[in-house]
Amino acid sequence: MKLIILGPPGVGKGTQTQRLCAEFGMTHISTGDILREAIKNGTKLGEQANAFMTKGELVPDAVMLGIIEEKLFGKQAQASYILDGFPRTIAQAEGLEKLFKLHDVRIDVILLLDAEVRQIIDRLSARRTCRNCNAVYNLMTNPPKQAGRCDTCGGDLFQRNDDKAETITKRLDVYTRQTEPLVDFYRKSGNLRVIPATGTPDEVFQNIKKELIGGK
Ligand code: G5P
Ligand code: MG
């Protein structure tokens, strides 16, 4: 199975993708995580991406398509995965379609997580991430047991650079202008499923499962 999870920054794409991958044995492909890893390792890609990410802007399409081609069709390619954070523009979606045609594969479902802007801002402002294992917390709704420490690995929790108030506003604007047009693009394919994402992570996960497998 091949899925795309779509939605604004902070709506819960990473949280739900982790759950789906754990339950259905799929691979989580997050372009945001790939870029943050490159920044951490000080690679050329990381250097290039950092300038865009700290401003809340998108990394150029050609760079992203190169990364995704290697990830989906390179030596480590997997048959079953969820794309989280890609595609992000019409040009990326069209590039992805070309790659799929070339390799004779297709996307089964596109999940669109839908929540209010106010909720999204609250979620992003209170998010903390583990520097070591990337586990995601929320100071308001899912705090760690010990302040500043990851429950799973004991790693340091930090606030993402792009989760500061002014960058959140910029990211939401970029989403509206550059990513939201994908909703119509995928609606035409007939495989788009809109998932209410206003509740708790457990409730949203149930909503997704209901769409995918009828709630079993
Ligand atoms: P990313 O990393 O892809 P975004 O902006 O798409 O970043 P983000 O911020 O990672 O998305 P998310 O994954 O949707 O958000 O949300 P999350 O981390 O799971 O949850 C957010 C918070 O809400 C957490 O605290 C969590 O606990 C809480 N939460 C989650 N679900 C729920 C729920 O159901 N209920 C409640 N109450 N709380 C919940 O991209 C970062 C940057 O990388 C570059 C761009 O510069 C981008 O800005 N980039 C790309 N550039 C170009 N093209 C691409 N394809 C790119 N991909 C990345
Ligand atoms: Mg994420």
Side-chain angles (χ1 to χ4, degrees):
M1 188 127 169
K2 296 172 179 45
L3 261 67
I4 290 174
I5 193 156
L6 193 62
V11 73
K13 301 182 297 296
T15 301
Q16 296 303 330
T17 303
Q18 274 180 9
R19 286 170 182 235
L20 286 164
C21 288
E23 183 143 338
F24 299 111
M26 301 169 81
T27 300
H28 185 168
I29 300 178
S30 157
T31 43
D33 285 348
I34 293 170
L35 296 173
R36 280 184 289 277
E37 192 61 25
I39 292 172
K40 199 159 92 182
N41 295 334
T43 65
K44 210 170 154 209
L45 167 67
E47 232 172 76
Q48 194 183 0
N50 196 25
F52 295 99
M53 290 171 80
T54 45
K55 282 190 275 179
E57 290 170 5
L58 295 184
V59 175
D61 291 332
V63 176
M64 298 314 301
L65 277 161
I67 292 174
I68 218 72
E69 181 170 14
E70 171 58 28
K71 201 77 194 163
L72 301 190
F73 303 107
K75 285 192 197 103
Q76 315 266 315
Q78 303 285 325
S80 186
Y81 49 77
I82 305 180
L83 291 180
D84 161 12
F86 187 95
R88 214 58 165 232
T89 63
I90 294 285
Q92 290 181 16
E94 287 173 347
L96 185 64
E97 295 226 320
K98 270 192 203 145
L99 285 174
F100 280 143
K101 249 191 207 133
L102 199 66
H103 294 271
D104 199 23
V105 290
R106 63 182 186 88
I107 283 288
D108 296 287
V109 178
I110 298 101
L111 298 170
L112 171 66
L113 299 186
D114 184 36
E116 302 283 327
V117 172
R118 189 62 254 168
Q119 283 179 311
I120 286 168
I121 294 173
D122 288 347
R123 287 178 190 180
L124 282 178
S125 312
R127 172 168 60 186
R128 295 295 181 273
T129 307
C130 175
R131 212 175 278 288
N132 182 45
C133 73
N134 290 331
V136 172
Y137 295 85
N138 189 284
L139 297 183
M140 307 309 290
T141 54
N142 176 31
K145 290 192 183 90
Q146 193 192 334
R149 291 264 152 244
C150 177
D151 294 350
T152 314
C153 74
D156 255 353
L157 299 188
F158 75 106
Q159 183 174 33
R160 267 172 49 176
N161 247 344
D162 56 353
D163 281 349
K164 310 278 158 62
E166 60 286 3
T167 321
I168 291 175
T169 311
K170 170 78 181 185
R171 287 163 66 201
L172 287 169
D173 177 52
V174 166
Y175 177 79
T176 307
R177 284 188 293 108
Q178 295 186 260
T179 307
E180 212 164 46
L182 288 178
V183 174
D184 271 347
F185 181 92
Y186 284 123
R187 191 167 274 132
K188 284 180 197 137
S189 75
N191 293 336
L192 183 79
R193 307 276 182 272
V194 182
I195 310 292
T198 52
T200 65
D202 283 346
E203 287 165 347
V204 177
F205 190 50
Q206 289 311 317
N207 293 344
I208 293 177
K209 286 211 291 185
K210 216 182 278 171
E211 256 317 321
L212 290 180
I213 53 172
K216 276 174 241 161

